[in-house]
Every structure is written in structure tokens, then in C-alpha cells.
Amino acid sequence: MIDVKKFTRVLLTVVLLELVAVVVLLLKKPIHHRLLEGRMHNRIGIYWTYVLQKSTSFRPFKSQHSGKMMASIFTNSNKDTMDGSEIPAKTIKPETKFFELSEKNDNSDVIEQLVTILHKGGIIGVPTDTVYGLACLAQSTEAVEKLYALKERNSLKPIAICVGEAYDVCQWTRFPQGLRDSVSKKLDDNMSQLRPNSPSILQQLLNDLLPGPVTVVTERGPGLNTNLNPKTSLVGVRVPDYDFIHNLTNRLREPLALTSANISGEETSLCINDFKVLWPRLDAVVDGGEVGQKYVNKQLNYAKEGSTVIQILQDGSSFKILRAGCAYDQTVHTLQDKWELKLVV
């Protein structure tokens, strides 16, 4: 016989648990009403089995689901279709992870998690000294291809790389011998003993530009992924003046492919909400607050123009500006007045 009081008590308990489950699901993420309805319908048979078993002294049958019922109430497997059935796990994209940088520590915990994501071919949204960027491992062809697709970027438009220190630049690039010859004539006594063909001969020039809001375009080095910008022998390289990027790239010990956090042709981003449309397609988003305020140019109070892009020409004695960016005046002054390189318009 059914114990009416016990039946009622158990039934009320189950109803209460279902209400709690609905609240948990709604708070965890937005959910379509048909999806929620499917989940509730799938549980009805389970609940009646559970109620009858708890309120009677005998077990007329045993449900194969009853042992899993309590756990499933609070588990959002994210594998339900609109009718409550399961869909293949491989079609489900993991949720984007969000990290907020702290000013009180070096954010090493965040960096370690991002390193894992990047090594798995992930794409992340990150703050830099100018604008927010999208980054992946430059040495991963699969990740670079995903980055192009995400940005809807023309495959003929190159993507720059980012390294942690100015002295890392020469590891992934090659500069014209003419530039080394020109620079060697301007070196101070401490550097005068270096051979003219040594990469270190360029270190003082690079230190005058980097780290900072400058992208230097020159010949790619033999160690760089050949599938990164395969249509050109050139590559742009950045060393952002931003501690988080500095620490991340130094931890990786390999370059990041770095481009602005936007759909190609759209406005650049100074905070993570500016590229909110891309969040679902990213593996992680790093919130560093608003960026770029320290760079001021004639047009903007912020760095929305991005870094100044310069190309060192093959003669080694001249350069040209590919993008004025937010550090045009300072960059041109350094290269022309200090290093006596000629600006080609």
C-alpha cells in the first residue's frame, strides 16, 4: 500500500528539487524554453519511479535511470537538443574562459592556464599596450588558419608576430646587411667590437623602438613557421610594452601570431566589450581593463590606430611607413635623427 503522507512528502521534495534545478540552469547560462521543456519531460518518468519507490513498501520494477536522477538534476551536460535528446559531443564547443588581470601580482596563474590553451591550438583575446588583440601560437599552422577564419581576414594579408623581448626579434627575422653596416658606424664604444654581420649589432636600434607601439617589418627568419604568411617573405614583429604580454610570451618561449581583436575592416578594440561579438568563437578572453590611454596622437586621445608599422628596406639605409599608427612622430624621429635612415614616401 502507498503511504499517502510519505508519498506527499517525497513528491513535494522532488518538485522543490526540480524548481531549484531550473533556477540553477537559468542562472548558469541562457537556455531556450523548448530545451528546458525537453529536459523536464525526460525527467517525469524518472521522478514517478523515484516517488513510488520511496512511498511504497515493495518494488514492482526498477528504473535504469533512477540511480542517476539526483545527480542529473544539478548537471548541465550541454548535450541536449531542442527535444531533450543528446547530440554528439564532438559538435559541442567548450565555453569561452574569462580571466581578469590583477594589479597585485604577476598573474602567473592566468598565464599557466593560457599556455595550456595555446598549446592545444586555442585562440585568445588579450590586452596589449595599444589595442586588444587576438593571439595564437605562430608556429601552429592549424591555429593560424583558425585565426584567419575567425577574423574573416584575406589570406593575402600578413599577420604579425609578437615576442617577449627586443633581443628575441633577430631570432625570428633577418635584417639587410646594409642596415647592419649603417648601424655599426653609429655604435658606442661598448658595441664597437662586434662583427658587422652579428645580429647583436642591431640591438641598440631595436631597443630604441621596442618594447613599444611599433611593428617592425623585415625578412622572415628560417626558424619561423613557413605556413605563417606563406605568400610573402616578410614578417612584422612586435614587442608590446605591456607586462602581461611580456610575461606570457617569455613563458611560451616562442612567438605569438598577433592581430587586432575585430573582424577585418572593423574598428579596433580598447576593452573586451568592443569585441564581444567574437567571444563565442574564442577559447579565452583576458580582461585588462581599458588599454591604450598612454599613447596620444594628433587625431585621437587613445591608441585606436594601433601600432606604427615600419618596413626596413633592402638597401638597409632607408625605411617606409606602412601605417602611421599611434607612434609615428617618435618613430620617424628616432630612425631619421639618431640612426640617419632615410624615410621613403
Side-chain angles (χ1 to χ4, degrees):
M1 297 294 293
I2 295 178
D3 185 331
V4 176
K5 290 184 178 179
K6 191 172 183 180
F7 177 88
T8 303
R9 184 169 60 253
V10 174
L11 179 60
L12 289 175
T13 300
V14 170
V15 171
L16 179 61
L17 286 173
E18 179 60 34
L19 290 175
V20 172
V22 170
V23 172
V24 169
L25 290 173
L26 290 175
L27 289 177
K28 186 172 182 181
K29 60 186 296 186
I31 187 168
H32 195 283
H33 69 91
R34 291 287 295 163
L35 176 56
L36 187 58
E37 181 182 353
R39 287 180 176 175
M40 294 174 68
H41 285 171
N42 282 348
R43 292 189 177 115
I44 291 176
I46 298 173
Y47 291 151
W48 278 111
T49 299
Y50 178 74
V51 170
L52 287 171
Q53 288 178 347
K54 291 296 183 181
S55 59
T56 62
S57 58
F58 62 94
R59 301 290 183 264
F61 60 89
K62 182 177 181 180
S63 168
Q64 62 178 332
H65 300 292
S66 58
K68 300 179 181 178
M69 188 274 290
M70 295 302 290
S72 68
I73 290 177
F74 296 101
T75 301
N76 179 13
S77 66
N78 202 28
K79 295 183 180 180
D80 300 290
T81 58
M82 298 298 282
D83 62 358
S85 60
E86 285 197 342
I87 59 177
K90 65 181 181 180
T91 65
I92 301 170
K93 178 177 172 57
E95 292 183 359
T96 303
K97 294 184 178 180
F98 289 82
F99 303 94
E100 184 174 3
L101 297 183
S102 170
E103 297 180 355
K104 298 179 180 179
N105 58 59
D106 60 1
N107 295 288
S108 58
D109 55 334
V110 174
I111 288 173
E112 289 305 315
Q113 295 182 69
L114 293 175
V115 167
T116 299
I117 291 171
L118 290 166
H119 281 160
K120 291 180 179 179
I123 299 176
I124 60 177
V126 294
T128 75
D129 52 350
T130 54
V131 297
Y132 272 80
L134 303 178
C136 68
L137 293 184
Q139 299 296 81
S140 169
T141 298
E142 180 182 358
V144 170
E145 290 174 349
K146 286 165 55 180
L147 182 58
Y148 268 97
L150 189 153
K151 274 186 65 79
E152 302 175 16
R153 187 180 180 91
N154 188 321
S155 61
L156 297 179
K157 293 185 65 176
I159 287 181
I161 64 172
C162 164
V163 295
E165 309 286 352
Y167 58 72
D168 292 325
V169 172
C170 291
Q171 179 181 352
W172 305 100
T173 62
R174 292 185 302 180
F175 289 90
Q177 184 61 46
L179 178 65
R180 296 178 185 178
D181 294 338
S182 175
V183 168
S184 65
K185 299 175 183 178
K186 309 291 292 183
L187 291 177
D188 58 32
D189 293 339
N190 293 330
M191 300 285 287
S192 60
Q193 302 303 316
L194 291 174
R195 294 177 298 168
N197 62 345
S198 171
S200 299
I201 209 80
L202 300 175
Q203 201 58 56
Q204 283 197 8
L205 182 150
L206 293 173
N207 288 343
D208 285 341
L209 301 174
L210 307 169
V214 177
T215 300
V216 179
V217 176
T218 185
E219 293 289 323
R220 62 192 299 130
L224 191 61
N225 181 7
T226 56
N227 291 312
L228 175 72
N229 310 330
K231 305 297 184 181
T232 178
S233 63
L234 303 176
V235 66
V237 59
R238 279 213 66 196
V239 185
D241 187 12
Y242 198 85
D243 287 344
F244 166 73
I245 292 293
H246 164 88
N247 294 334
L248 175 61
T249 48
N250 282 340
R251 170 65 180 81
L252 287 165
R253 297 186 179 181
E254 61 178 298
L256 289 170
L258 182 66
T259 182
S260 56
N262 59 345
I263 300 296
S264 288
E266 295 186 0
E267 194 170 81
T268 53
S269 304
L270 296 179
C271 65
I272 64 171
N273 283 330
D274 289 346
F275 61 98
K276 191 172 184 178
V277 65
L278 296 179
W279 289 359
R281 304 171 68 181
L282 299 175
D283 295 278
V285 174
V286 181
D287 186 358
E290 190 174 28
V291 299
Q293 296 103 318
K294 64 181 179 180
Y295 297 117
V296 180
N297 57 33
K298 296 177 181 178
Q299 289 78 31
L300 300 171
N301 291 325
Y302 299 101
K304 272 193 175 262
E305 293 180 358
S307 62
T308 296
V309 182
I310 66 166
Q311 180 182 349
I312 304 297
L313 301 182
Q314 281 299 312
D315 60 14
S317 61
S318 58
F319 69 99
K320 64 180 179 181
I321 301 293
L322 302 182
R323 183 175 71 193
C326 61
Y328 175 88
D329 293 336
Q330 177 184 348
T331 303
V332 170
H333 171 75
T334 298
L335 295 177
Q336 280 188 323
D337 297 349
K338 181 173 181 178
W339 296 102
E340 298 182 356
L341 299 182
K342 180 182 178 182
L343 174 61
V344 176
V345 180

